[in-house]
Each structure stands twice: as C-alpha cells, then as structure tokens.
Amino acid sequence: MSESLQQTPSSLNLDLSYLEDIAGGSNDFIIEMIDMFLEQTPGYFDEIKQAIADGNWKTVSDLAHKVKPTLAFMGSNESKEIMAKIEMDTRNLENLDEVEPIFNELHSFCLQLFAELKIARDNLPRD
C-alpha cells in the first residue's frame, strides 16, 4: 500500500462542531446544509470518477477543488486533506497512477460518511 493510501480515513470521526458553530443554534440550518451536501456531493464524486477514467485531469482537479471545502464543512478534515492531494496531483500532473486507487478508497469512505450524515440529520429536532 502506498503512503498516500495509508492516509485514507479508516473510521468515521464525524465532527459537526464547525457546522454547529456557524448555525448559531439553528438545527434547521444544519439540516439544510447536510441536505444540500447529500444532494450535490455524490454527483460530484460520480463526475470525478468518470473524469479519472477519461484521464481528464483538469476536470478532476477542478471538481476536487470544489468538493474539498465541503468535506471539511461536514467535519471530515481527513477526507478534505486527501481530496486536496488529489487536486494538487492532478493539477500538477504528478503521481497520476495513485489518483484512482486513492479516490476509490476515499469514495468508499465517503459513502459511509453520507450514511452517517443522514442519521445525524434525522436525529436533529427541527427548530
């Protein structure tokens, strides 16, 4: 396993404290942000996967740049860092043979993240 793959998160450490801080006590805001993330992000992951398959590194870099901050926003800083590596490697055309396996592991992890976020959202009482 490459050093980069070892950086892939192996367990969920969901930390919504940043989102809670900016929500100012509004569960409705948190729910809205989680819903938006869950609606948009899986599609971005599909687009990244296709761009990797096509060798379209500029698209991979652009989409990784777009997704990266939302991962941190949802409390997954490790995932954000891995997405940042994908962004930089594809922007600089470096380590391209590592991009697909790293992305695939990150995608698997994020599928768990999406499920956990749904549970967190469903357990939040409305304002």
Coordinates of all heavy atoms in Angstrom, one line a residue, residues 2 6 18-19 25-27 32 43-45 52-53 61 71 76 86 94 115 118 127:
S2 N 0.6 2.2 -0.8 CA 1.4 3.4 -0.9 C 1.2 4.3 0.3 O 0.2 4.1 1.0 CB 1.0 4.2 -2.2 OG -0.2 4.9 -2.0
Q6 N -2.4 5.1 2.8 CA -2.4 4.9 4.3 C -3.1 6.2 4.9 O -3.5 6.1 6.0 CB -1.0 4.7 4.8 CG -0.5 3.3 4.4 CD 1.0 3.2 4.8 OE1 1.6 4.1 5.2 NE2 1.5 2.0 4.7
Y18 N -18.0 22.6 13.6 CA -17.9 23.8 12.8 C -19.3 24.2 12.3 O -19.7 25.3 12.4 CB -16.9 23.6 11.7 CG -16.8 24.8 10.8 CD1 -16.2 26.0 11.2 CD2 -17.4 24.8 9.5 CE1 -16.1 27.1 10.4 CE2 -17.3 25.9 8.7 CZ -16.7 27.0 9.1 OH -16.6 28.1 8.3
L19 N -20.0 23.2 11.8 CA -21.3 23.5 11.3 C -22.2 24.0 12.4 O -23.0 24.9 12.2 CB -21.9 22.2 10.6 CG -23.2 22.3 9.9 CD1 -23.2 23.3 8.8 CD2 -23.6 20.9 9.3
G25 N -27.0 27.8 16.6 CA -28.1 27.1 17.4 C -29.3 26.7 16.6 O -30.3 26.2 17.1
S26 N -29.2 26.9 15.3 CA -30.4 26.6 14.4 C -30.2 25.2 13.8 O -29.4 25.0 12.9 CB -30.5 27.6 13.2 OG -31.4 27.1 12.3
N27 N -31.0 24.2 14.3 CA -30.9 22.9 13.8 C -31.5 22.9 12.3 O -31.0 22.1 11.5 CB -31.8 21.9 14.6 CG -31.1 21.6 15.9 OD1 -29.9 21.8 16.1 ND2 -31.8 21.0 16.8
E32 N -30.5 21.8 6.7 CA -30.4 22.3 5.3 C -29.1 22.1 4.7 O -28.9 21.7 3.5 CB -30.8 23.8 5.3 CG -30.9 24.4 4.0 CD -31.3 25.9 4.0 OE1 -32.0 26.3 4.9 OE2 -30.8 26.7 3.2
G43 N -23.0 13.3 -6.6 CA -22.9 13.6 -8.1 C -21.5 14.1 -8.5 O -21.0 13.7 -9.5
Y44 N -20.9 14.9 -7.6 CA -19.5 15.3 -7.9 C -18.6 14.1 -7.8 O -17.6 14.1 -8.6 CB -19.1 16.4 -6.8 CG -19.8 17.7 -7.0 CD1 -20.1 18.4 -5.8 CD2 -20.1 18.3 -8.2 CE1 -20.8 19.6 -5.9 CE2 -20.7 19.5 -8.3 CZ -21.0 20.2 -7.2 OH -21.7 21.4 -7.3
F45 N -18.8 13.2 -6.9 CA -17.9 12.0 -6.8 C -18.1 11.2 -8.1 O -17.1 10.7 -8.6 CB -18.3 11.2 -5.6 CG -17.5 11.6 -4.4 CD1 -17.9 12.6 -3.6 CD2 -16.3 10.9 -4.0 CE1 -17.1 13.0 -2.5 CE2 -15.6 11.3 -2.9 CZ -16.0 12.3 -2.1
I52 N -11.6 10.7 -14.0 CA -10.4 9.9 -13.8 C -10.3 8.8 -14.9 O -9.3 8.6 -15.5 CB -10.4 9.2 -12.4 CG1 -10.1 10.3 -11.3 CG2 -9.3 8.1 -12.3 CD1 -10.3 9.8 -9.9
A53 N -11.4 8.1 -15.1 CA -11.5 7.1 -16.2 C -11.1 7.6 -17.5 O -10.5 7.0 -18.3 CB -12.9 6.4 -16.2
S61 N -9.1 17.8 -11.1 CA -8.6 18.9 -10.2 C -9.6 19.9 -9.9 O -9.8 20.3 -8.7 CB -7.4 19.5 -10.9 OG -6.9 20.6 -10.1
L71 N -16.2 18.9 2.4 CA -15.8 17.8 3.3 C -15.4 18.3 4.6 O -15.8 17.7 5.7 CB -14.7 16.9 2.6 CG -15.1 16.2 1.4 CD1 -13.9 15.6 0.7 CD2 -16.1 15.1 1.7
S76 N -15.2 16.3 8.1 CA -14.3 15.2 7.6 C -13.0 15.8 7.1 O -12.8 15.8 5.9 CB -15.0 14.4 6.6 OG -14.2 13.2 6.3
I86 N -5.4 14.9 -4.1 CA -5.9 14.5 -5.5 C -5.9 15.8 -6.4 O -5.5 15.7 -7.5 CB -7.3 13.9 -5.4 CG1 -7.2 12.5 -4.8 CG2 -8.0 13.8 -6.8 CD1 -8.5 11.8 -4.4
E94 N 1.1 14.9 -11.4 CA 2.1 14.1 -10.6 C 1.4 13.0 -10.0 O 0.2 13.1 -9.6 CB 2.7 15.0 -9.5 CG 3.6 16.1 -10.0 CD 4.1 17.0 -8.9 OE1 3.6 16.9 -7.8 OE2 4.9 17.9 -9.2
A115 N -24.0 8.2 4.8 CA -24.9 7.4 5.6 C -25.0 8.0 7.0 O -26.0 8.1 7.6 CB -24.6 5.9 5.6
K118 N -26.8 11.3 7.2 CA -28.2 11.1 7.1 C -28.8 10.8 8.5 O -29.8 11.3 8.9 CB -28.6 10.0 6.1 CG -28.5 10.4 4.7 CD -28.8 9.2 3.8 CE -28.4 9.5 2.3 NZ -28.6 8.4 1.4
D127 N -36.2 23.2 14.5 CA -36.4 24.4 15.4 C -37.8 24.7 15.6 O -38.7 24.4 14.9 CB -35.7 25.6 14.7 CG -34.2 25.4 14.7 OD1 -33.6 24.6 15.4 OD2 -33.6 26.1 13.8

